[in-house]
Amino acid sequence: MKKLSYALAAIVVLLAPLAARAHHSAALFDLTVRDNKVTGIVKKFEPRNPHTDIILEVTDAKGTRDITFEGHSRNNFYRSGWREGKVKVGDKITLIAAPRKDGGDGGYVVGVVCADGSQF
Amino acid sequence: MLHCIRAISTVLCAAGLTVASFAASAARPDFTGVWGTYRAPGQPPPVFGPQNRGNLPLRPEAKAKVDAYRALITPTGDTPGGWCLGGGMPSSMLGSGPYPMEIIQRDDVILIIYEAHTETRHVYLQQRAKEEDLFPDRNGYSVGRWEGDTLIIETTNLKEAVDQSQFPHSAAAKIVEEYTMQTNADGSKVLTAQMTLTDPDFYTETVRAEKKWSYLPGVRLLPYECNEATWEERLQQLRQQSQAKPH
C-alpha cells in the first residue's frame, strides 16, 4: 500500500508541470463564431507564446465565477495593438472569444476591448 | 620575363573571376527581408482555418502511423507548437506568414528565420558538412544553389515526423524548394516556393505544395519566447520544496 502511495505521489509530481503547461490548438474552439463576447473583471492577463493566459471573473445567469481563457499569442496581440500595461488586473474588459466546441466555459480569445474602450 | 607574364596572367585571371563572381552575385535576386502572409493585390487577408490535409498518397504502414498519431492528439487538440516545439520542415516553411519569416542572404549561406519558435534554417551554398558529421533534425540539413533567378534548396537529414500539420514524412524524406521572386506593377514583391517532397518510405509518389509570401517593408521579427511559464512554475516548485525542507 505504501509502495502504491509512493507511485501515485510520483505520478502526481510528474504530471503537475504537464498539467500547468498544457496549451491546446484552436481545434477545440469554434472559430466560425466571430461575435461571441464575454465581459468580466481581469484576474489574470498574461500575453505569452504560444497562447495568452486569461482569467476573467464573470457574472451571468450561471452566477459569478472565474473563467480561464486561452488566446492568441503575445506576438499576435502585439501586432494587433496590445502593449505592456494596456490590460491590468481589476480592469473590466470584454473578450471576443471563439467558444469551446463542447459548450463549456472559456474560449479562444481573438480580440479584447479594453477598459478605456480601445481594442486589439 | 616568363615569371612576370605568369604573374600578370594570374592576377588578371583572379580579377576576372572576382568580377564574374561579383557580377553573378549582383545579378541574383535579393530575397533579404521580412516576408509575411501573401495577400493578392486588392484582396482582403486570407482567413486561416484547419489545414486541408487532403488524401495524401501514403503507404499503408505510414498511414497507420499517422492515423494513430492524429487519433491520439485530436481529443485534446495538442500540437507540437502548443508544447513550444517548432514544426520542422516542411511545416516551418508552409506555416510561416501569419508569423513572418526573415531571409538574410549571403553568397555562402542563406539564413531563413521563422518567427514562430524562432526556427532557423541555414541554407549552405558553398561549403557543405561531411555526410558523417550530420545528424537528423526536425528542419534537416539544407543546401542551396542558384539556377538563373531561381534559388533551389534541397533538404535531407530529417527526422521522421508524423506530427507534421500537412505532410508527415519519414527520415528518408527529401524536400526540394524552388524560390522565385516577382515584383508587381505597384512595386510590391511576392516570393513563391514550389515544394516537392519525395519520401519512398512514406509515400507512393512525390507530393507537392506551393507557398507564397508578400514582402513586409519596415516589419521586424519579434522574439518568440515560449517556455517562460514552464520555467516560472519550476522555480515556484523549487521554492516550495526549499521551504518544506527542515532547516
Side-chain angles (χ1 to χ4, degrees):
Chain A
M1 188 63 189
K2 207 171 183 179
K3 277 185 182 172
L4 182 63
S5 300
Y6 284 142
L8 286 172
I11 289 169
V12 168
V13 167
L14 285 171
L15 287 180
L18 295 178
R21 282 174 57 183
H23 288 275
H24 305 104
S25 83
L28 293 185
F29 308 99
D30 186 355
L31 292 170
T32 62
V33 178
R34 317 291 291 183
D35 57 356
N36 180 49
K37 294 181 179 176
V38 183
T39 299
I41 305 299
V42 175
K43 288 201 144 180
K44 181 181 182 185
F45 191 92
E46 291 186 0
R48 292 186 185 278
N49 298 315
H51 298 131
T52 289
D53 295 332
I54 303 169
I55 298 176
L56 216 58
E57 184 188 89
V58 175
T59 300
D60 60 14
K62 294 181 189 170
T64 299
R65 64 214 180 276
D66 291 347
I67 301 180
T68 301
F69 293 83
E70 281 189 50
H72 274 338
S73 67
R74 176 170 55 196
N75 291 25
N76 274 333
F77 277 146
Y78 177 89
R79 288 211 165 87
S80 62
W82 166 80
R83 291 296 182 271
E84 194 72 39
K86 200 167 175 64
V87 177
K88 296 183 283 297
V89 171
D91 283 357
K92 185 178 184 182
I93 65 170
T94 296
L95 303 177
I96 301 159
R100 293 180 62 95
K101 285 179 180 171
D102 64 9
D105 276 346
Y108 190 82
V109 178
V110 296
V112 177
V113 182
C114 303
D116 64 4
S118 62
Q119 191 170 336
F120 61 84
Chain B
M1 184 63 182
L2 196 59
H3 282 300
C4 188
I5 291 170
R6 276 186 186 151
I8 291 168
S9 301
T10 304
V11 168
L12 287 175
C13 187
L17 282 172
T18 304
V19 168
S21 169
F22 177 76
S25 172
R28 284 177 198 138
D30 186 2
F31 299 161
T32 296
V34 175
W35 300 84
T37 302
Y38 171 69
R39 189 188 294 196
Q43 296 296 311
V47 176
F48 295 96
Q51 300 272 9
N52 178 15
R53 292 181 174 129
N55 289 318
L56 295 172
L58 287 163
R59 294 189 182 282
E61 319 83 71
K63 186 173 185 313
K65 280 186 179 181
V66 172
D67 287 349
Y69 164 73
R70 288 179 180 163
L72 187 67
I73 55 105
T74 297
T76 57
D78 279 286
T79 61
W83 291 88
C84 294
L85 181 62
M89 277 294 285
S91 283
S92 52
M93 181 270 289
L94 293 173
S96 65
Y99 293 104
M101 71 170 178
E102 182 164 15
I103 296 178
I104 300 170
Q105 185 172 320
R106 298 193 336 202
D107 284 343
D108 57 340
V109 65
I110 294 174
L111 285 173
I112 306 176
I113 306 161
Y114 303 108
E115 181 177 290
H117 305 284
T118 323
E119 285 184 274
T120 304
R121 297 172 64 199
H122 293 72
V123 180
Y124 297 98
L125 291 106
Q126 291 175 5
Q127 284 197 320
R128 300 176 183 191
K130 292 176 189 166
E131 196 61 36
E132 61 267 28
D133 291 338
L134 297 174
F135 52 85
D137 180 71
R138 285 175 71 81
N139 275 300
Y141 181 78
S142 298
V143 295
R145 66 180 187 278
W146 288 96
E147 288 187 6
D149 286 350
T150 303
L151 172 67
I152 299 174
I153 302 174
E154 294 185 5
T155 299
T156 54
N157 292 89
L158 289 154
K159 276 187 170 177
E160 180 175 297
V162 294
D163 58 11
Q164 285 282 307
S165 58
Q166 277 181 282
F167 298 106
H169 59 73
S170 78
K174 177 181 178 180
I175 297 170
V176 178
E177 301 151 86
E178 296 187 9
Y179 287 84
T180 52
M181 186 172 71
Q182 297 85 41
T183 302
N184 296 323
D186 63 0
S188 60
K189 290 189 284 189
V190 177
L191 188 65
T192 302
Q194 300 288 347
M195 183 204 82
T196 59
L197 188 155
T198 306
D199 181 355
D201 288 0
F202 257 44
Y203 291 94
T204 56
E205 59 188 82
T206 296
V207 290
R208 301 166 199 285
E210 182 187 80
K211 174 77 182 181
K212 288 185 174 188
W213 299 263
S214 292
Y215 181 64
L216 301 176
V219 171
R220 70 183 173 100
L221 243 56
L222 299 174
Y224 194 94
E225 291 293 349
C226 193
N227 265 320
E228 289 166 315
T230 308
W231 174 234
E232 287 161 14
E233 284 158 15
R234 176 61 180 154
L235 286 177
Q236 186 61 22
Q237 198 178 43
L238 290 173
R239 287 186 196 106
Q240 287 169 351
Q241 287 171 1
S242 172
Q243 286 167 3
K245 278 183 189 169
H247 294 287

